[in-house]
Amino acid sequence: MKNITDSFLCFIYWPSAGSFGFDTDILATNLINLSVVLGVLIFFGKGVLSDLLDNRKQRILRTIRNSEELGEAAVEQLEKARARLRKVETEADRFRVNGYSEIEREKLNLINSIYTTLEQFENYKNETIHFEQQRAINQVQQRVLQQALQGALGTLNSCLNNELHLRTIDANIDMFGAMKEKNN
């Protein structure tokens, strides 16, 4: 320790005037050089370092403010989203209730429509049955009439002779002629 102090004192105090010498104690001179360099760095670098720290502090503060603003915006958006969700849920409930009402209305309309269609089919069925009955009755009447005419013709043919036959034809022709004149 004494050696370092002596060297330091030797650097400050020069024993012989006019001579310049080198201090060979590396540890003592390195401490002095390091002290001088640190002093210069602190003196000149203080402003730069302070500016860098201030800039860093400002960036951190800006980041915090931005984060707080983003957080507030996120909270606002969350509240808006919750309000929209409540609104959508309300509308969904309304649509659900309206949907059930609409389904019931459609169901009743469908039942009424089917009932009406069944009534129409019943009416068509009854009309078809009535038409087929009339057709069957007409066919039976035509057959009975044909058989009666054939029987009457057979009876007339067996009972009539040529002279009676000619008179019947003349009477029919006269009757058709009278009808023709009446129509004109």
Side-chain angles (χ1 to χ4, degrees), residues 94-111:
R94 186 173 49 86
F95 284 137
R96 192 176 303 119
V97 168
N98 289 344
Y100 289 140
S101 299
E102 185 69 24
I103 288 171
E104 287 299 318
R105 269 195 308 275
E106 289 296 322
K107 185 172 101 175
L108 289 175
N109 288 342
L110 183 62
I111 289 171

Side-chain angles (χ1 to χ4, degrees), residues 40-165:
V40 169
L41 281 176
I42 289 172
F43 182 75
F44 289 111
K46 181 179 176 184
V48 173
L49 185 60
S50 137
D51 288 344
L52 287 174
L53 290 175
D54 285 341
N55 287 341
R56 179 69 178 149
K57 180 181 174 184
Q58 293 302 321
R59 281 193 306 229
I60 290 171
L61 290 175
R62 264 196 315 265
T63 303
I64 290 171
R65 275 194 307 267
N66 289 342
S67 297
E68 287 174 351
E69 289 172 2
L70 289 174
E72 290 172 1
V75 168
E76 288 177 16
Q77 288 179 350
L78 178 63
E79 290 302 319
K80 287 179 183 177
R82 284 182 180 162
R84 279 185 284 170
L85 177 64
R86 284 189 295 271
K87 183 179 177 183
V88 167
E89 285 175 343
T90 304
E91 287 181 21
D93 289 341
R94 186 173 49 86
F95 284 137
R96 192 176 303 119
V97 168
N98 289 344
Y100 289 140
S101 299
E102 185 69 24
I103 288 171
E104 287 299 318
R105 269 195 308 275
E106 289 296 322
K107 185 172 101 175
L108 289 175
N109 288 342
L110 183 62
I111 289 171
N112 290 337
S113 173
I114 289 173
Y115 182 72
T116 304
T117 304
L118 286 175
E119 283 180 350
Q120 289 175 348
F121 283 150
E122 186 69 27
N123 290 339
Y124 292 150
K125 179 189 81 165
N126 291 337
E127 288 176 7
T128 304
I129 288 172
H130 181 69
F131 176 75
E132 290 297 325
Q133 285 175 344
Q134 287 299 323
R135 198 169 103 188
I137 289 171
N138 287 341
Q139 286 177 351
V140 169
Q141 286 175 348
Q142 284 178 357
R143 283 191 185 157
V144 168
L145 184 60
Q146 283 177 353
Q147 288 176 356
L149 283 176
Q150 285 176 356
L153 283 176
T155 305
L156 282 176
N157 283 337
S158 63
C159 293
L160 288 179
N161 57 15
N162 264 347
E163 183 184 322
L164 190 55
H165 189 56

